[in-house]
mmCIF file of all heavy atoms in Angstrom:
data_model
loop_
_atom_site.group_PDB
_atom_site.id
_atom_site.type_symbol
_atom_site.label_atom_id
_atom_site.label_comp_id
_atom_site.label_asym_id
_atom_site.label_seq_id
_atom_site.Cartn_x
_atom_site.Cartn_y
_atom_site.Cartn_z
ATOM 1 N N ARG B 615 133.476 81.022 94.051
ATOM 2 C CA ARG B 615 134.241 82.164 93.513
ATOM 3 C C ARG B 615 135.461 82.455 94.422
ATOM 4 O O ARG B 615 136.535 82.860 93.928
ATOM 5 C CB ARG B 615 133.364 83.424 93.412
ATOM 6 C CG ARG B 615 132.335 83.314 92.301
ATOM 7 C CD ARG B 615 131.547 84.596 92.161
ATOM 8 N NE ARG B 615 130.244 84.370 91.527
ATOM 9 C CZ ARG B 615 130.079 84.262 90.253
ATOM 10 N NH1 ARG B 615 131.081 84.292 89.402
ATOM 11 N NH2 ARG B 615 128.831 84.065 89.698
ATOM 12 N N LEU B 616 135.213 82.345 95.757
ATOM 13 C CA LEU B 616 136.353 82.532 96.686
ATOM 14 C C LEU B 616 137.460 81.602 96.438
ATOM 15 O O LEU B 616 138.687 81.926 96.549
ATOM 16 C CB LEU B 616 135.873 82.381 98.155
ATOM 17 C CG LEU B 616 135.217 83.656 98.793
ATOM 18 C CD1 LEU B 616 134.431 83.218 100.004
ATOM 19 C CD2 LEU B 616 136.325 84.664 99.170
ATOM 20 N N LYS B 617 137.110 80.361 96.134
ATOM 21 C CA LYS B 617 138.144 79.310 95.909
ATOM 22 C C LYS B 617 139.056 79.646 94.786
ATOM 23 O O LYS B 617 140.187 79.060 94.665
ATOM 24 C CB LYS B 617 137.453 77.937 95.645
ATOM 25 C CG LYS B 617 137.027 77.186 96.902
ATOM 26 C CD LYS B 617 136.364 75.918 96.557
ATOM 27 C CE LYS B 617 135.876 75.156 97.792
ATOM 28 N NZ LYS B 617 134.941 74.081 97.464
ATOM 29 N N LYS B 618 138.640 80.563 93.854
ATOM 30 C CA LYS B 618 139.564 80.868 92.727
ATOM 31 C C LYS B 618 140.520 81.931 93.167
ATOM 32 O O LYS B 618 141.479 82.240 92.463
ATOM 33 C CB LYS B 618 138.674 81.330 91.601
ATOM 34 C CG LYS B 618 137.897 80.191 90.982
ATOM 35 C CD LYS B 618 137.024 80.614 89.823
ATOM 36 C CE LYS B 618 136.280 79.390 89.279
ATOM 37 N NZ LYS B 618 135.206 79.769 88.429
ATOM 38 N N VAL B 619 140.245 82.556 94.321
ATOM 39 C CA VAL B 619 141.153 83.653 94.816
ATOM 40 C C VAL B 619 141.974 83.190 95.993
ATOM 41 O O VAL B 619 143.102 83.629 96.200
ATOM 42 C CB VAL B 619 140.309 84.901 95.165
ATOM 43 C CG1 VAL B 619 141.166 86.035 95.670
ATOM 44 C CG2 VAL B 619 139.542 85.329 93.893
ATOM 45 N N VAL B 620 141.392 82.340 96.859
ATOM 46 C CA VAL B 620 142.138 81.852 98.032
ATOM 47 C C VAL B 620 142.070 80.326 98.100
ATOM 48 O O VAL B 620 141.108 79.719 97.497
ATOM 49 C CB VAL B 620 141.546 82.389 99.340
ATOM 50 C CG1 VAL B 620 141.760 83.938 99.426
ATOM 51 C CG2 VAL B 620 140.041 82.025 99.492
ATOM 52 N N ASP B 621 143.015 79.714 98.812
ATOM 53 C CA ASP B 621 142.868 78.307 99.185
ATOM 54 C C ASP B 621 142.225 78.237 100.445
ATOM 55 O O ASP B 621 142.711 78.732 101.444
ATOM 56 C CB ASP B 621 144.279 77.620 99.198
ATOM 57 C CG ASP B 621 144.889 77.549 97.801
ATOM 58 O OD1 ASP B 621 144.174 77.148 96.863
ATOM 59 O OD2 ASP B 621 146.121 77.876 97.649
ATOM 60 N N ILE B 622 141.047 77.555 100.558
ATOM 61 C CA ILE B 622 140.336 77.490 101.858
ATOM 62 C C ILE B 622 140.823 76.234 102.543
ATOM 63 O O ILE B 622 140.629 75.121 102.143
ATOM 64 C CB ILE B 622 138.803 77.388 101.575
ATOM 65 C CG1 ILE B 622 138.340 78.699 100.832
ATOM 66 C CG2 ILE B 622 138.110 77.278 102.978
ATOM 67 C CD1 ILE B 622 136.872 78.638 100.426
ATOM 68 N N GLU B 623 141.557 76.465 103.631
ATOM 69 C CA GLU B 623 142.078 75.379 104.456
ATOM 70 C C GLU B 623 141.039 74.819 105.407
ATOM 71 O O GLU B 623 140.892 73.641 105.564
ATOM 72 C CB GLU B 623 143.419 75.775 105.197
ATOM 73 C CG GLU B 623 144.535 76.026 104.185
ATOM 74 C CD GLU B 623 145.805 76.411 104.897
ATOM 75 O OE1 GLU B 623 145.818 76.631 106.146
ATOM 76 O OE2 GLU B 623 146.814 76.649 104.196
ATOM 77 N N ASP B 624 140.339 75.767 106.034
ATOM 78 C CA ASP B 624 139.233 75.336 106.974
ATOM 79 C C ASP B 624 138.174 76.379 106.971
ATOM 80 O O ASP B 624 138.379 77.511 107.560
ATOM 81 C CB ASP B 624 139.878 75.118 108.393
ATOM 82 C CG ASP B 624 138.845 74.629 109.381
ATOM 83 O OD1 ASP B 624 137.708 74.338 108.957
ATOM 84 O OD2 ASP B 624 139.175 74.507 110.526
ATOM 85 N N ALA B 625 137.096 76.084 106.301
ATOM 86 C CA ALA B 625 136.011 77.064 106.202
ATOM 87 C C ALA B 625 135.383 77.394 107.541
ATOM 88 O O ALA B 625 134.971 78.493 107.803
ATOM 89 C CB ALA B 625 134.946 76.593 105.206
ATOM 90 N N GLU B 626 135.348 76.422 108.402
ATOM 91 C CA GLU B 626 134.722 76.558 109.757
ATOM 92 C C GLU B 626 135.410 77.650 110.555
ATOM 93 O O GLU B 626 134.752 78.423 111.235
ATOM 94 C CB GLU B 626 134.716 75.240 110.455
ATOM 95 C CG GLU B 626 133.495 75.084 111.424
ATOM 96 C CD GLU B 626 133.483 73.690 112.021
ATOM 97 O OE1 GLU B 626 133.533 72.695 111.309
ATOM 98 O OE2 GLU B 626 133.461 73.689 113.245
ATOM 99 N N THR B 627 136.715 77.672 110.535
ATOM 100 C CA THR B 627 137.466 78.650 111.286
ATOM 101 C C THR B 627 137.839 79.869 110.445
ATOM 102 O O THR B 627 138.393 80.846 110.973
ATOM 103 C CB THR B 627 138.706 78.076 111.892
ATOM 104 O OG1 THR B 627 139.525 77.517 110.783
ATOM 105 C CG2 THR B 627 138.428 76.909 112.789
ATOM 106 N N GLY B 628 137.531 79.783 109.118
ATOM 107 C CA GLY B 628 137.854 80.867 108.292
ATOM 108 C C GLY B 628 139.410 80.984 107.933
ATOM 109 O O GLY B 628 139.911 82.045 107.773
ATOM 110 N N THR B 629 140.066 79.821 107.911
ATOM 111 C CA THR B 629 141.490 79.830 107.600
ATOM 112 C C THR B 629 141.701 79.675 106.096
ATOM 113 O O THR B 629 141.247 78.665 105.503
ATOM 114 C CB THR B 629 142.184 78.642 108.360
ATOM 115 O OG1 THR B 629 141.724 78.643 109.735
ATOM 116 C CG2 THR B 629 143.658 78.757 108.226
#
Side-chain angles (χ1 to χ4, degrees):
Chain B
R615 291 185 203 278
L616 274 162
K617 278 180 180 166
K618 292 178 179 165
V619 179
V620 294
D621 291 316
I622 301 174
E623 290 180 358
D624 183 4
E626 210 175 306
T627 58
T629 312

